[in-house]
């Protein structure tokens, strides 16, 4: 049985999506939700999530609910997979789409006995999956791979994939702002996301600090977002930017989501928050060094993509740490190159 036969037989069983559990890739997988809802409007779509990404689901249209389970990344944890399988079996899913290519990501759905289990072959997952797709490596981008699993086998991909959406109520963001004691005093807010997985993808913190000082001197507020891991970066950025800069790093992703809804523009590395900002619709200036924007930028339109204009032959290397140490792909993007892009984004936001 394939995913089409279930619906042709009149089935309305829910569909489970097992996405990647990194923030940016989790947002990217909302494209898959949109594809499934368009194809199967009578079948609810649930999403497996960890605690970190769970707040995103509250703002994703088309998702019925999230199944929260924090499985360890580097352990099999068979007992936890069995417990998750029991939870999934109780939901009576008819179909599961497994986005990650790891063996253990398909384990709980198989143990749960979900009838249709779709995914790429990955780590030799024969037996765990029963609708195995091939040709993953021929698909150039992650979104092409994820989206392909939501299509009937052999279907040509669309010319344009549906964009992820995060619909954040303005009233909820305003209430959060008031609760945090951040006055809505008319000063436009520029959100900074200085973190990233791997130091090579981080624009130098001193550049963020210089840009922040320039913006606060012009009467803008700068909110620095991220996890507690980014708190030292936020401290350094805010130190020279005066009272107009605020450290809003938090272990709760919802704080960043609501802060971005309040922001007029965002300056971000190639990180999870660049995808969150873009999906919310915040004009976003994205800084790319070792990674290729074509491969990894959000599907949603960006206000600007910043890359070095100098010749850096080693980029894109897609490595989390600069193997040549010089980090020129980021160092050669000075704040003076980014500031005009931020100003243009703010001007467009003011018009809209």
């Amino acid at each position: 049985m394939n995913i089409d036969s279930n619906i042709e037989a009149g089935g309305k069983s829910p569909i489970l999506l097992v996405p990647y559990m990194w923030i940016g890739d989790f947002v990217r997988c909302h494209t898959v939700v949109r594809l499934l809802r368009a194809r199967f409007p009578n079948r609810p779509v649930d999403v497996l999530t960890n605690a970190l990404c769970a707040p995103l689901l509250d703002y994703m249209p088309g998702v019925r609910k999230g199944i929260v389970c924090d499985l360890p990344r580097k352990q099999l944890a068979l007992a936890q997979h069995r417990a998750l399988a029991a939870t999934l079996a109780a939901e009576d899913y008819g179909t599961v789409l497994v986005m990650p290519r790891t063996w253990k990501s398909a384990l709980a759905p198989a143990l749960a006995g979900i009838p249709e289990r779709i995914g790429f072959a990955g780590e030799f997952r024969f037996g765990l999956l029963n609708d195995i797709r091939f040709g993953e490596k021929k698909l150039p981008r992650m979104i092409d791979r994820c989206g392909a699993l939501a299509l009937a086998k052999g279907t040509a991909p669309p010319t344009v994939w549906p964009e992820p959406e995060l619909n954040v109520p303005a009233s909820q963001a305003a209430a959060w702002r008031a609760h945090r004691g951040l006055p809505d005093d008319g000063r436009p807010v520029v959100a900074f996301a200085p973190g990233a997985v791997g130091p090579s993808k981080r624009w130098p913190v001193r550049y963020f600090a210089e840009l922040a000082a320039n913006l606060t001197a012009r009467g803008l507020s700068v909110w620095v977002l991220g996890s507690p891991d980014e708190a030292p970066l936020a401290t350094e950025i805010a130190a020279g930017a005066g009272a107009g800069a605020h450290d809003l790093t938090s272990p709760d992703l919802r704080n960043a989501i609501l802060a971005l809804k309040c922001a007029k523009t965002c300056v971000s590395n190639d990180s999870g928050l660049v995808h969150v900002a873009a999906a919310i619709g915040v004009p976003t200036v994205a800084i790319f060094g070792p990674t290729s924007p074509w491969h990894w930028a959000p599907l949603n339109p960006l206000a600007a993509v910043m890359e070095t204009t100098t010749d850096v032959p080693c980029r894109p290397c897609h490595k989390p740490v600069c193997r040549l140490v010089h980090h020129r792909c980021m160092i050669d993007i000075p704040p003076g190159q980014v500031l005009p892009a931020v100003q243009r984004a703010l001007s467009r936001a003011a018009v809209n």
Side-chain angles (χ1 to χ4, degrees):
M1 183 189 299
N2 60 32
I3 196 167
D4 288 313
S5 63
N6 184 285
I7 192 65
E8 289 170 359
K12 296 183 180 180
S13 59
I15 300 170
L16 176 67
L17 174 62
V18 179
Y20 292 91
M21 297 299 177
W22 300 101
I23 293 170
D25 297 332
F26 195 94
V27 173
R28 199 191 311 270
C29 282
H30 187 243
T31 289
V32 179
V33 174
R34 295 190 63 190
L35 290 166
L36 291 172
R37 295 295 297 140
R39 290 187 64 205
F40 309 116
N42 295 322
R43 302 183 68 186
V45 176
D46 293 351
V47 179
L48 186 68
T49 181
N50 56 17
L52 172 65
C53 295
L56 292 165
L57 294 177
D58 290 342
Y59 308 106
M60 286 185 174
V63 175
R64 181 179 68 169
K65 67 177 180 179
I67 304 293
V68 181
C69 184
D70 283 291
L71 295 169
R73 291 185 182 274
K74 297 183 179 181
Q75 302 173 28
L76 178 56
L78 184 58
Q80 289 175 258
H81 281 276
R82 289 188 182 278
L84 174 59
T87 299
L88 300 182
E91 296 289 342
D92 198 27
Y93 292 114
T95 302
V96 59
L97 276 67
V98 182
M99 302 287 110
R101 64 193 313 276
T102 60
W103 186 86
K104 67 179 183 179
S105 63
L107 180 56
L111 293 174
I114 298 175
E116 300 172 309
R117 304 185 300 276
I118 302 170
F120 286 106
E123 295 179 343
F124 300 100
R125 300 186 290 184
F126 304 96
L128 295 182
L129 301 175
N130 56 15
D131 184 349
I132 295 179
R133 309 290 176 90
F134 296 92
E136 178 185 15
K137 293 183 179 179
K138 294 181 180 179
L139 299 172
R141 302 176 300 169
M142 181 177 287
I143 188 57
D144 301 315
R145 299 169 189 175
C146 293
L149 295 180
L151 306 177
K153 186 178 287 188
T155 301
T159 304
V160 179
W161 295 108
E163 297 170 359
E165 295 178 2
L166 292 174
N167 293 338
V168 183
S171 58
Q172 191 177 127
W176 168 86
R177 183 172 187 165
H179 177 73
R180 290 297 301 261
L182 297 164
D184 190 357
D185 55 9
R187 292 190 295 172
V189 172
V190 179
F192 279 11
V197 177
S200 71
K201 294 200 295 183
R202 297 175 190 158
W203 198 43
V205 65
R206 65 182 184 275
Y207 287 1
F208 272 111
E210 182 179 333
L211 181 63
N214 197 313
L215 293 172
T216 57
R218 295 167 186 257
L220 286 83
S221 290
V222 172
W223 293 359
V224 187
L225 311 179
S227 73
D229 291 340
E230 280 77 63
L233 304 179
T235 298
E236 184 173 344
I237 291 167
H246 301 272
D247 174 2
L248 299 182
T249 54
S250 167
D252 187 351
L253 181 58
R254 194 179 306 275
N255 282 289
I257 295 169
L258 296 171
L260 285 166
K261 180 63 179 180
C262 298
K264 293 300 183 183
T265 191
C266 173
V267 182
S268 177
N269 295 322
D270 175 17
S271 68
L273 290 184
V274 77
H275 291 267
V276 175
I280 290 173
V282 183
T284 301
V285 176
I287 305 172
F288 283 82
T291 50
S292 157
W294 186 80
H295 283 91
W296 298 109
L299 278 182
N300 310 81
L302 293 170
V305 171
M306 297 284 101
E307 299 178 89
T308 179
T309 59
T310 61
D311 181 24
V312 183
C314 55
R315 75 173 300 266
C317 69
H318 301 286
K319 301 295 183 182
V321 178
C322 179
R323 294 172 298 175
L324 302 179
V325 183
H326 57 60
H327 203 208
R328 281 186 51 211
C329 62
M330 281 300 207
I331 290 175
D332 286 2
I333 306 173
Q337 180 181 339
V338 177
L339 177 60
V342 176
Q343 292 173 315
R344 289 192 295 270
L346 287 166
S347 296
R348 287 196 292 269
V351 171
N352 296 331

